[in-house]
Structures are given as C-alpha cells and as structure tokens.
Amino acid sequence: MAEYFSQFMPFMVTGVKTTIILFVITLVLSLPLGLPIALGERSRFKPLSWICKFYVWVFRGTPLMLQLFFFYFFFPFTLDITIPALPTACITFVLNYAAYFAEIYRGGINGIDRGQYEAAYVLGLSRGQTMKDIILPQTMKTILPPVVNEAITLVKDTALASSIGVIELMKATQSAVNRETDISIFFWAAAIYLVMCSVLTLAAGRIEKYFMRYDAKEEY
C-alpha cells in the first residue's frame, strides 16, 4: 500500500499546496474587496454606482474560465508583460469572487430594516456612522451562510486554474492518472476535495454557533 501511494501521492501533495495557496489568497483579498464595491453600488454618486454595478455585471455574467483566458493572454499581447500562470489565476479569482461577495454584502445590507436607518438619523448619526456602527455589524452575521457557500464553491473552482497551466489538485491528478494509467486516483482527488469542503463546513458551523450564543446572551 505504501508503495502504491508513493507512486502518485507526491503529485497530489504538490497540487493540494497550490490549491490551498490559490484558495487562501482569493478569500483573503476578495472578501474585503467586495465590501467597498457593494457600498459603491449603493452610492448616491451615480458615476461610482454605475462603475461598481458594471464591474459586478461583467464578472458575474461571464464564465470564470473565460476570464482566466482573458487575463492570461491580455497582459502579454497588450502590455508586453508576461505574468506566470499562478499569479494570473490569483488576480482573476480575486476579481471574480469580489463581485460575488459584493452582491452578498449588498443583499445583507438591503435586508436590514429601514427603521434602523431612521432611528440612527433621529439620534444624529451621520450616514457613515450609521453604516459602520449599526448596519455593517448586523450584516456580517446575516451573510455568513452565503459566504461559506461561496468559499466551498471556491475550493472546487480552483480546478479551473488548470486551464491556463496551474498545477493545482485537478491538474496534478490528471498528470498522475496519465503517468500511472490508474483512474482510481480520481477517487483520491475527490476524497481530498471532500475533506477540504468538510473542514470549511465544520469551521462555519462553529462560527455560527458562536454568533447564536452571542445573540442569546443579548436577548437574555
């Protein structure tokens, strides 16, 4: 059994490392980037609102794989700059997922009762103070489930990076299958994806329980 694993597991480990790197970079950068885009969509300054809405429309309305191809070939042909495949994938994933997170933020903000805005106005709070101190803290709790869903989707979407040559888990698995001529290796890849998604689900469950306990204390 040890000899069996030693034949293909090094490929898988290399792919898992790249997958985790792409996942972490995308999540860490796209989550905060989505918030100003969402706020920009709600801005009273129409040009800013239109730009943010156009950005979300483009990145949510076109396939992620097409965006990968666009950025991978755009920089060399237009700017004569060659960017390696992994950084290109990171840039594309961050821009793509920022658009999705922006819509999640926007939906969470829109879900807050209008009475809270009115109460903040009566108390003399500015629009910025209302958003920072009252609306956003509540929004962060309500958007947790859809954010977790997007994070789980991101784990699986990293496989698309193989289309521009990034040796992530799926690309490494295909290389191992071609080398060993053993399709059972795909099952091991599926198991690894399931483990990563399960870890995210468990972590999200812990966070949700934490917020539920906090809410229960406030009600008490």
Side-chain angles (χ1 to χ4, degrees), residues 100-121:
Y100 282 91
F101 286 133
E103 286 301 281
I104 292 174
Y105 285 128
R106 190 175 66 85
I109 293 171
N110 290 342
I112 302 299
D113 187 80
R114 291 298 305 176
Q116 300 201 37
Y117 291 91
E118 295 169 2
Y121 177 77

Side-chain angles (χ1 to χ4, degrees), residues 18-27 29-30 33 64 68 71 83-98 154 158 161 164 166:
T18 305
T19 294
I20 292 174
I21 290 172
L22 180 55
F23 171 81
V24 171
I25 291 176
T26 301
L27 201 63
L29 296 181
S30 62
L33 180 59
L64 177 55
L68 284 166
F71 284 106
I83 301 178
L86 181 56
T88 300
C90 290
I91 293 170
T92 307
F93 272 75
V94 168
L95 294 175
N96 178 274
Y97 270 81
L154 173 58
T158 54
I164 58 172
V166 176

Side-chain angles (χ1 to χ4, degrees), residues 133-146:
D133 298 330
I134 298 176
I135 305 303
L136 289 182
Q138 296 179 74
T139 299
M140 295 305 148
K141 290 189 289 185
T142 60
I143 67 171
L144 182 59

Side-chain angles (χ1 to χ4, degrees), residues 10-20 22 85-86 89 158-159 161-176:
F11 293 97
M12 307 287 279
V13 171
T14 300
V16 169
K17 289 179 180 177
T18 305
T19 294
I20 292 174
L22 180 55
L86 181 56
T158 54
S162 63
S163 63
I164 58 172
V166 176
I167 305 178
E168 42 65 65
L169 177 55
M170 198 64 235
K171 184 75 170 181
T173 301
Q174 290 174 331
S175 299

Side-chain angles (χ1 to χ4, degrees), residues 21 78 96 102 149 216-217:
I21 290 172
T78 60
N96 178 274
N149 288 336
K217 289 179 180 179

